[in-house]
Amino acid sequence: MAKIVLFENIHPSARAVFEAAGYTDIVTHAAALPPSQMHDALRGAQVAGIRSRTHLDAALLSSPDLRVVGCFCIGTNQVDLDSAMQRGIPVFNAPFSNTRSVAELVLGEAILLLRRIPEKNARVHLGHWDKSAAGAFETRGKTLGIVGYGNIGSQISTLAESLGMRVIYHDVEAKLPLGNARPAGTLNELLEQADVVTLHVPGGKSTENIMNAETIARMQRGAILINASRGTVVDIDALHAALKSGHLAGAALDVFPTEPKSADEPLASPLIGMPNVILTPHIGGSTQESQENIGREVAEKLVRFMQAGTTKGAVNFPELPYLEPAGATRILHVHRNAPGALGTLDNLMAQHGLNIVSQTLQTKGQIGYVITDVEGQVDDIVMTTLRSHPITVRCDRL
Ligand code: NAI
């Protein structure tokens, strides 16, 4: 039975999934290990589970038994994905597990900002009892403008409607409207109608500073801006100016163009100390529930790969869905993506008397991945022949 090594205090929900699938050789580490200890820690492991602090470079990925990596988080840039692919190692992550956590935070912030709670809270702490309804509004009947109607944006859409908000959205792709939400047309059309604007787009060049002096000026006077997507999406100086002038009534930011690298480093931002501005340390997706969901989501993907070769959702690999076993033995073959590779593999199998029951191929970039179900058992000699052929990157038998 495969050995599984989990680093960085991965949630026990992962272990529960592995154990339910029959895996008992599970080693857990409470923290990331220093690079010098990683080779030893990975010895004999077929499955490695990490979070964001463990870096898996080409040398560590060449650990002889390693078959698959699970990133129990969203990001995967701590793994040399290209090297992993070249070695036939799929890498999985958890892109959806914290969607609900972000959605709840955003709606909570919308409620608090519309009521001007951040500044009222600060005033009471300072000994002031300013009891007033001025500038305080319900969310009911207000228009929420969602920029980026993907996993998080669409989840917020349904939750906001349950509060009685009117939901409009803008996305660069055509998206199915959920509930009574409706597309707003252009970004500017959305900005002109919304009482609260919330951003849920990816980072990168195409979304850099989409909220700038010009677009913020399009927002209604007294509107609120929330950003829990990526720090580069909002021009902070333009936001600062709009809050200072009173054009915007409030803002909540969970992400920043430059974020502190450690707990001791303070955030540098002109927004610090501003009333009715909520600043949080990139914790939109950080809840106990999301950690538990991540543990389960990634562990399930790893088990599916180990037991059936399924690579759906892998970030660096040709994606093959779960395929019901059709023969006595399943062979997972990763090869260099070249014309005729599948023919070569099938010839090799035929030469060794293997009768194919079912076969599925997918290619991506430099590699191809084939799941083949064959009749009968496949002995070690045949496996050695398949593994040693020049087209083969990796070959495993289930
Ligand atoms: P997603 O990929 O499901 O959705 C993004 C949507 O934005 C897609 O529908 C896409 O078509 C759309 N889009 C792309 N460019 C656009 C543009 N210029 N204008 C309008 N729409 C555009 O992503 P998901 O999972 O909903 O995440 C959204 C953002 O939230 C990402 O930036 C992600 O990194 C961030 N995030 C932040 C967390 C936090 O802790 N604050 C936690 C999880 C995600």
Side-chain angles (χ1 to χ4, degrees), residues 74 95 98 102 147-153 170-173 175 200-203 206-207 210 228-230 254-255 282-285:
I74 316 296
N98 60 10
V102 181
V147 182
Y149 204 65
N151 295 318
I152 296 172
H170 163 72
D171 199 292
V172 284
E173 286 178 15
K175 295 279 171 165
H200 301 288
V201 294
S206 66
T207 57
I210 56 173
S229 61
R230 281 287 173 259
D254 187 47
V255 289
H282 204 148
I283 43 76

Side-chain angles (χ1 to χ4, degrees), residues 172-326:
V172 284
E173 286 178 15
K175 295 279 171 165
L176 174 74
L178 300 181
N180 299 314
R182 57 178 184 79
T186 63
L187 175 63
N188 282 339
E189 283 171 316
L190 176 141
L191 298 175
E192 283 160 9
Q193 296 175 60
D195 300 296
V196 179
V197 172
T198 185
L199 309 172
H200 301 288
V201 294
K205 271 271 160 255
S206 66
T207 57
E208 196 174 326
N209 288 341
I210 56 173
M211 294 311 295
N212 51 42
E214 201 183 307
T215 46
I216 290 173
R218 293 285 191 141
M219 291 174 67
Q220 296 192 48
R221 189 168 177 81
I224 280 159
L225 180 64
I226 300 177
N227 184 19
S229 61
R230 281 287 173 259
T232 48
V233 175
V234 177
D235 177 341
I236 295 293
D237 290 334
L239 174 61
H240 179 239
L243 287 162
K244 249 184 125 186
S245 72
H247 177 63
L248 294 189
L253 298 180
D254 187 47
V255 289
F256 303 87
T258 310
E259 295 182 4
K261 295 211 166 33
S262 74
D264 307 326
E265 196 184 315
L267 172 73
S269 173
L271 304 175
I272 285 172
M274 294 195 88
N276 222 30
V277 174
I278 299 175
L279 303 176
T280 47
H282 204 148
I283 43 76
S286 307
T287 60
Q288 293 303 307
E289 288 87 348
S290 68
Q291 291 309 307
E292 188 180 339
N293 291 340
I294 288 170
R296 205 176 308 115
E297 181 181 342
V298 179
E300 280 168 359
K301 288 176 181 172
L302 294 172
V303 167
R304 275 277 156 118
F305 174 73
M306 292 299 289
Q307 295 190 336
T310 309
T311 51
K312 187 122 187 68
V315 296
N316 65 332
F317 220 72
E319 292 190 56
L320 285 183
Y322 174 73
L323 302 162
E324 200 61 49

Side-chain angles (χ1 to χ4, degrees), residues 118-146:
E119 67 181 277
K120 285 182 209 262
N121 170 59
R123 297 279 293 158
V124 174
H125 280 280
L126 291 171
H128 303 284
W129 193 255
D130 309 335
K131 200 167 164 350
S132 151
F137 300 95
E138 294 182 348
T139 47
R140 178 171 49 172
K142 300 297 170 301
T143 299
L144 177 67
I146 301 172

Side-chain angles (χ1 to χ4, degrees), residues 8 14 17 32 58 61 74 100 116 140 148 166 168 170 194 223 255 270 273 276 283-284 301-302 356 374:
E8 301 187 64
V17 171
L61 290 163
I74 316 296
R100 174 69 185 223
R116 307 194 72 82
R140 178 171 49 172
R166 195 177 143 252
I168 55 175
H170 163 72
V255 289
N276 222 30
I283 43 76
K301 288 176 181 172
L302 294 172
I356 296 171
V374 296

Side-chain angles (χ1 to χ4, degrees), residues 139-144 158-167:
T139 47
R140 178 171 49 172
K142 300 297 170 301
T143 299
L144 177 67
T158 49
L159 293 178
E161 284 201 329
S162 69
L163 285 172
M165 297 189 86
R166 195 177 143 252
V167 177

